[in-house]
Amino acid sequence: DQQVKQNSPSLSVQEGRISILNCDYTNSMFDYFLWYKKYPAEGPTFLISISSIKDKNEDGRFTVFLNKSAKHLSLHIVPSQPGDSAVYFCAATERLYNQGGKLIFGQGTELSVKP
Amino acid sequence: NAGVTQTPKFQVLKTGQSMTLQCAQDMNHNSMYWYRQDPGMGLRLIYYSASEGTTDKGEVPNGYNVSRLNKREFSLRLESAAPSQTSVYFCASSEVVGSGSTQYFGPGTRLLVL
């Protein structure tokens, strides 16, 4: 059972426009969510996170929105740049009873930003 | 400060051979993790070590063993490699504190089992 799902394997956006990447989860105990970015032949790097007590977190061009009732989060990138082209993974964790800080990852969405 | 390092970067094995993937971190993190990444499957946790001296199974532990050698190092061993273990393996570490569980990843090891 996939607890964290990214239903869009790929997304193509024009440079300067908004990119919206979506993620759904099924476990209502998840209380902390993260987005990672991964370039080819490199390890994932942390991008932005959000706690379940918030519904929005912003860092420069990146904003993550959390809708707990829908068990849905999204990452907005505005404006999109060609250097944003990468695979984006969302991840979730249940901090209170989570021994060792385990994360559950989605399948990833490959973003392509065209000049 | 190198972060998380992994060796080797790439390895080809024959079915039945064994090998150990090495991982080290210099961030003084307590927790370390091994993942595998396969197309369309995201990152799946193989084993993790919440602290020095402890290890636990993740989502896909079959066919693997781990050793938390000390606080810095966490190795992953394939005793008898199978083609199904062809994958990209990532090691990660984190300092698990109340504010979150941000994990920092190494560059990966690409393993091909023939």
Side-chain angles (χ1 to χ4, degrees):
Chain A
D1 178 33
Q2 188 97 25
Q3 296 187 69
V4 178
K5 294 181 182 180
Q6 294 175 256
N7 291 317
S8 297
S10 62
L11 175 67
S12 183
V13 171
Q14 206 67 30
E15 181 179 5
R17 306 295 291 268
I18 185 172
S19 295
I20 300 177
L21 295 93
N22 294 304
C23 179
D24 297 296
Y25 62 96
T26 58
N27 188 341
S28 57
M29 298 299 289
F30 287 149
D31 59 0
Y32 191 69
F33 305 87
L34 308 90
W35 284 94
Y36 281 81
K37 176 179 181 179
K38 184 184 178 306
Y39 291 118
E42 295 184 10
T45 55
F46 170 72
L47 189 58
I48 192 169
S49 63
I50 187 167
S51 165
S52 59
I53 62 173
K54 295 185 176 182
D55 54 18
K56 176 183 173 181
N57 188 28
E58 197 169 350
D59 183 1
R61 297 185 296 113
F62 302 91
T63 303
V64 56
F65 295 91
L66 176 62
N67 182 334
K68 289 189 291 294
S69 61
K71 294 190 179 69
H72 177 82
L73 64 154
S74 61
L75 175 68
H76 292 211
I77 306 173
V78 183
S80 301
Q81 300 173 353
D84 296 328
S85 297
V87 177
Y88 291 78
F89 292 99
C90 72
T93 188
E94 174 196 336
R95 285 179 295 177
L96 185 59
Y97 298 108
N98 184 356
Q99 296 300 313
K102 291 181 293 182
L103 297 177
I104 306 297
F105 284 86
Q107 307 96 308
T109 296
E110 183 171 10
L111 173 66
S112 175
V113 180
K114 300 190 183 304
Chain B
N1 189 339
V4 180
T5 57
Q6 292 182 236
T7 55
K9 285 185 169 50
F10 181 71
Q11 184 73 46
V12 179
L13 290 179
K14 294 181 180 178
T15 297
Q17 287 185 317
S18 63
M19 79 162 294
T20 299
L21 283 66
Q22 306 286 354
C23 173
Q25 52 93 8
D26 61 3
M27 296 175 281
N28 202 36
H29 286 165
N30 284 321
S31 299
M32 298 185 73
Y33 315 83
W34 276 105
Y35 292 89
R36 60 179 288 173
Q37 184 197 4
D38 302 293
M41 303 292 286
L43 291 154
R44 293 184 293 169
L45 184 65
I46 305 171
Y47 270 93
Y48 68 102
S49 171
S51 60
E52 187 178 354
T54 69
T55 60
D56 284 286
K57 294 178 180 179
E59 185 184 353
V60 288
N62 291 345
Y64 306 95
N65 284 300
V66 291
S67 295
R68 184 74 183 266
L69 303 169
N70 47 55
K71 191 171 185 178
R72 289 188 64 248
E73 299 172 289
F74 188 38
S75 63
L76 178 72
R77 182 158 179 86
L78 287 70
E79 290 291 352
S80 179
S84 61
Q85 294 178 304
T86 292
S87 188
V88 181
Y89 291 86
F90 291 101
C91 177
S93 70
S94 74
E95 186 60 51
V96 182
V97 292
S99 60
S101 307
T102 302
Q103 294 182 11
Y104 298 87
F105 285 80
T109 294
R110 281 153 185 76
L111 177 65
L112 175 61
V113 183
L114 301 174

